[in-house]
Amino acid sequence: MSRDKLVIFDTTLRDGEQSPGASMTKDEKVRIAKMLEKMRVDVIEAGFAIASQGDFEAVRAVATAVKESRVCSLARAVFADIDRAAEALKGATAPRIHTFIATSPIHMKYKLNMEPEKVLEQAVKAIQRARQYTDDVEFSLEDGSRSEFEFMCRIVEAAIAAGASTINIPDTVGYGEPGEYGAMFKRVIEAVPNSDKAIFSTHCHNDLGLAVANSLSAVMNGARQVECTINGLGERAGNAALEEIVMAVRTRKDVFPVDTGIVTEHIVATSRMVSTITGFPVQPNKAIVGMNAFAHESGIHQDGVLKHRETYEIMRAQDVGWNANKIVLGKHSGRAAVKARFEELGIAFDSPAQLAEVFERFKALADKKHEIFDEDLQALVSQVQEAEAVETYAMESLEVCSKTGTTPKARIVLLVNNERLSAEAEGSGPVDATYKAIEVIAKSNTDLLLYSVNAITQGTDSQGEVTVRLERRGQIVNGIGADTDIVVASAKAYLHALNLLEAGNRREHPQHGV
């Protein structure tokens, strides 16, 4: 069987970040982009350049840092968006502008308030504008799976004629069904006279749990690019998961006539990096990257695997990076060994001072727990990078009293713009008391949308990673904190979220896009 190249287009930094509370800093985006580059992802969609100044700077930083992958910015079919995207991508070795407009009747009527002819005209003009900056232009028909077939063919033909080299027909709202979605690609490719001059792409959302199935159905019917995210991160129920697409194609070579160039051994490390940075934990039974993905508890399964691995495992855990999930580092480990492990995880340091700070925190953690895992190292780097940002609130000390039959109390001392302030409060539990004590000082007027605790590794000495989601006047941020003391981790996460709000670390999208 001759095999075609399947282009992997990762949109973790753009569509993934549109998940409420998944906002990433510029430095965090660069860290993830460098890991995606190490995986040999073909195209990295770095953001929506016109959405905010912060997003523009992040796209520009990724475009400058990444040399081996194409770097893309999203833009509506509006000249201002396209010009802004081009400006952000100036430093890219291989830039791509991804422009889109809605093509379904419901979107054109109620969202755009435009007639189909006007939509087609605007799409063509946008593509022509983008071609003034780069030869690599992608055009997306937002809500493509609910668009009328005849109009879809007309706008696809016009887009290719205008210079679009990639045509994306997304299932924007997760409405598609694998059989009909795949058939749609086949029909369009056969009906459009110049379809051979473009690569067709799929971008599926997971509202009905069909994102991966729909994407693979499109591949079987002629699509040669899949748009996906690490861990399936994305708006609402998420996007097609990169790791599932890649490993399905690799495992079932007898079915799929395509190959990817992904270095799969970096999948698990990348998954953990994204989880740590966004604060979105990976469910244990998640395919490929969940901690139970290669675990066997049933006696029958264990017996089969011991006799012959392939009885219950269709792929090797080592092939996606599970062979390197644990290291033995402790308080006697030297800086060189720690630095070397960070490099294996795709983490580089901006300066010797940053490495020194991480190493100091590593030593402190090693005094608290016997074994240090890769997840611990990821958390340490995130903590240091967060600490380097401008902090309005910093914790100096925390004292909590909680015992059976009494009301928990907390006393906290904070440095607020370098002014030392203290407060006490009671609560229904130690964490509640701690948060109320913080609020005595901060008076943040925020709503707590999410409080989540996740053990970073196994064992009673594991660090607990706490995610706090706060909302204030429409601004949503995620705060993350890690510590072997879960109450301290909770305080760190809450203060991190408050600092992000004070720094204005959020994204404002003029339109959420495909």
Side-chain angles (χ1 to χ4, degrees):
M1 178 189 294
S2 62
R3 315 191 72 81
D4 292 339
K5 162 72 173 177
L6 180 63
V7 176
I8 298 298
F9 177 114
D10 183 274
T11 184
T12 303
L13 304 182
R14 199 277 299 172
D15 203 333
E17 195 192 19
Q18 288 180 191
S19 301
S23 183
M24 310 170 200
T25 67
K26 178 179 70 175
D27 290 341
E28 288 168 343
K29 278 196 168 189
V30 170
R31 278 178 57 199
I32 293 173
K34 293 295 288 182
M35 199 63 179
L36 294 173
E37 181 183 35
K38 190 174 182 180
M39 285 177 62
R40 295 183 190 165
V41 165
D42 300 289
V43 185
I44 300 171
E45 189 165 51
F48 199 164
I50 204 168
S52 68
Q53 181 61 29
D55 224 31
F56 173 84
E57 295 294 342
V59 173
R60 183 161 63 180
V62 170
T64 303
V66 170
K67 302 300 180 188
E68 301 299 323
S69 302
R70 290 189 174 276
V71 178
C72 173
S73 177
L74 188 68
R76 294 169 299 179
V78 176
F79 284 3
D81 282 38
I82 292 165
D83 296 344
R84 190 66 167 160
E87 179 68 23
L89 292 169
K90 275 186 176 178
T93 302
R96 172 181 292 188
I97 294 176
H98 179 191
T99 187
F100 71 95
I101 195 167
T103 57
S104 67
I106 191 170
H107 275 231
M108 289 190 290
K109 179 179 179 180
Y110 293 106
K111 188 180 76 172
L112 299 180
N113 192 27
M114 292 172 63
E115 294 297 323
E117 293 304 318
K118 185 65 177 177
V119 169
L120 190 151
E121 178 185 346
Q122 188 166 323
V124 168
K125 288 181 178 178
I127 294 165
Q128 291 171 339
R129 181 77 163 203
R131 280 298 302 263
Q132 294 177 16
Y133 297 108
T134 176
D135 292 337
D136 191 348
V137 175
E138 176 172 342
F139 173 68
S140 285
L141 295 73
E142 186 185 6
D143 205 23
S145 58
R146 294 194 295 175
S147 298
E148 294 178 344
F149 182 74
E150 295 301 327
F151 180 65
M152 187 189 307
C153 290
R154 287 182 59 214
I155 200 168
V156 167
E157 182 178 357
I160 296 172
S165 52
T166 300
I167 298 294
N168 180 38
I169 309 178
D171 184 27
T172 303
V173 294
Y175 184 75
E177 179 275 327
E180 67 178 12
Y181 186 67
M184 177 189 70
F185 273 83
K186 188 173 188 296
R187 287 180 68 203
V188 170
I189 292 171
E190 290 177 349
V192 173
N194 56 356
S195 63
D196 61 320
K197 293 181 172 59
I199 291 174
F200 281 77
S201 175
T202 173
H203 177 124
C204 295
H205 281 262
N206 205 38
D207 298 71
L208 293 175
L210 296 172
V212 170
N214 281 329
S215 298
L216 292 174
S217 179
V219 170
M220 292 298 291
N221 285 277
R224 289 299 177 263
Q225 175 177 286
V226 173
E227 304 188 9
C228 43
T229 62
I230 299 297
N231 299 338
L233 193 66
E235 289 189 274
R236 304 185 312 278
N239 288 38
L242 179 149
E243 60 276 7
E244 295 176 24
I245 297 290
V246 169
M247 293 311 295
V249 168
R250 173 172 170 158
T251 304
R252 295 304 310 272
K253 289 183 177 180
D254 58 320
V255 173
F256 298 105
V258 293
D259 280 323
T260 75
I262 298 296
V263 181
T264 60
E265 287 77 7
H266 299 309
I267 284 177
V268 169
T270 308
S271 166
R272 287 175 174 165
M273 178 184 286
V274 170
S275 177
T276 298
I277 287 174
T278 61
F280 282 50
V282 176
Q283 66 191 61
N285 62 331
K286 167 77 172 65
I288 316 300
V289 293
M291 65 181 182
N292 290 346
F294 293 90
H296 303 276
E297 187 166 334
S298 162
I300 294 173
H301 287 209
Q302 290 174 345
D303 180 63
V305 169
L306 289 172
K307 290 176 177 175
H308 188 70
R309 180 187 60 80
E310 292 181 1
T311 54
Y312 286 101
E313 288 187 1
I314 60 173
M315 53 196 149
R316 298 195 322 150
Q318 295 91 334
D319 290 342
V320 296
W322 280 109
N323 61 322
N325 73 321
K326 188 175 108 172
I327 59 171
V328 181
L329 288 179
K331 61 184 178 180
H332 299 298
S333 299
R335 185 173 306 194
V338 175
K339 181 183 178 184
R341 184 57 192 151
F342 275 118
E343 289 174 350
E344 290 176 11
L345 292 173
I347 298 172
F349 297 100
D350 297 332
S351 65
Q354 190 180 69
L355 172 60
E357 174 66 16
V358 170
F359 185 67
E360 182 179 337
R361 292 186 183 227
F362 165 82
K363 285 289 192 179
L365 179 61
D367 283 333
K368 296 180 181 179
K369 57 180 301 195
H370 179 64
E371 286 185 312
I372 306 296
F373 295 80
D374 288 354
E375 297 93 329
D376 295 314
L377 299 182
Q378 298 274 16
L380 285 176
V381 171
S382 293
Q383 290 168 34
V384 169
Q385 291 189 336
E386 290 155 11
E388 289 176 345
V390 177
E391 287 190 318
T392 302
Y393 303 97
M395 184 168 64
E396 185 175 284
S397 66
L398 174 63
E399 180 181 341
V400 178
C401 179
S402 179
K403 62 181 181 179
T404 305
T406 65
T407 302
K409 298 179 181 179
R411 182 180 187 276
I412 195 163
V413 179
L414 300 179
L415 292 177
V416 183
N417 293 320
N418 295 320
E419 180 184 0
R420 192 171 183 270
L421 300 173
S422 63
E424 297 181 1
E426 295 182 344
S428 59
V431 173
D432 185 47
T434 299
Y435 283 7
K436 286 178 176 175
I438 292 173
E439 279 299 327
V440 169
I441 298 172
K443 298 179 177 63
S444 66
N445 295 315
T446 59
D447 291 323
L448 180 62
L449 304 182
L450 173 73
Y451 173 80
S452 172
V453 180
N454 182 47
I456 293 180
T457 58
Q458 71 266 26
T460 56
D461 64 349
S462 168
Q463 286 194 97
E465 185 175 68
V466 175
T467 300
V468 168
R469 187 171 301 156
L470 297 182
E471 187 269 337
R472 182 171 66 188
R473 296 188 295 275
Q475 303 170 17
I476 300 175
V477 296
N478 263 11
I480 305 169
D483 199 274
T484 52
D485 185 324
I486 200 64
V487 180
V488 173
S490 299
K492 287 179 176 179
Y494 198 88
L495 293 171
H496 179 214
L498 291 179
N499 283 325
L500 292 177
L501 282 172
E502 293 301 320
N505 192 338
R506 62 195 183 281
R507 302 177 77 238
E508 297 173 354
H509 292 274
Q511 184 174 340
H512 283 287
V514 292

